[in-house]
């Protein structure tokens, strides 16, 4: 029955890893990420849950004759913040699956 003890040990390790993954995910979701565009003229803040919490537009960048530029800057700042969330999530959560050959992970 040596195999059963081995299996229990593996299950305990998996449960521990699941708890660590859940904790890491929760910490990521609580973090704040800041994306910028136009040399800091537009700033977008979001949580790790990808919820935008703030958009800051400096007055100098507002030109009623060029609304498209402002829209482009807001999009760029939002995408910058999203990329930071995705990169940080991939590097943090990747630690848990590194070296494991698990389908779907």
């Amino acid at each position: 029955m040596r195999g059963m003890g081995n299996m229990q040990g593996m299950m305990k390790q998996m449960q521990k890893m699941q708890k660590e993954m859940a904790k890491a995910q929760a910490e990521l979701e609580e973090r704040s990420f800041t994306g910028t565009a136009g040399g800091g003229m537009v700033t977008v803040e979001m949580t790790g849950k990808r919820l935008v919490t703030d958009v800051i537009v400096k007055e100098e960048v507002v030109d009623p004759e060029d609304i498209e530029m402002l829209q482009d800057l807001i999009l760029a700042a939002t995408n910058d913040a999203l990329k930071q969330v995705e990169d940080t999530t991939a590097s943090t959560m990747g630690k848990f699956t590194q070296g494991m050959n698990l389908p779907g992970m």
Side-chain angles (χ1 to χ4, degrees), residues 22-85:
K23 181 181 176 193
Q25 184 67 43
E27 288 172 357
L28 279 169
E29 290 175 354
E30 293 301 315
R31 281 188 58 182
S32 179
F33 296 85
T34 303
T36 60
M41 296 303 256
V42 175
T43 302
V44 172
E45 292 182 18
M46 71 175 51
T47 67
K49 288 184 177 181
R50 295 166 180 82
L51 296 173
V52 175
T53 56
D54 201 5
V55 176
I56 301 164
V57 178
K58 294 207 173 166
E59 190 175 321
E60 317 70 277
V61 79
V62 179
D63 179 357
E65 302 296 317
D66 194 2
I67 296 299
E68 285 183 22
M69 181 189 68
L70 180 57
Q71 292 169 334
D72 289 344
L73 289 172
I74 293 169
L75 283 173
T78 303
N79 287 331
D80 182 38
L82 279 169
K83 182 168 179 6
Q84 290 178 42
V85 172

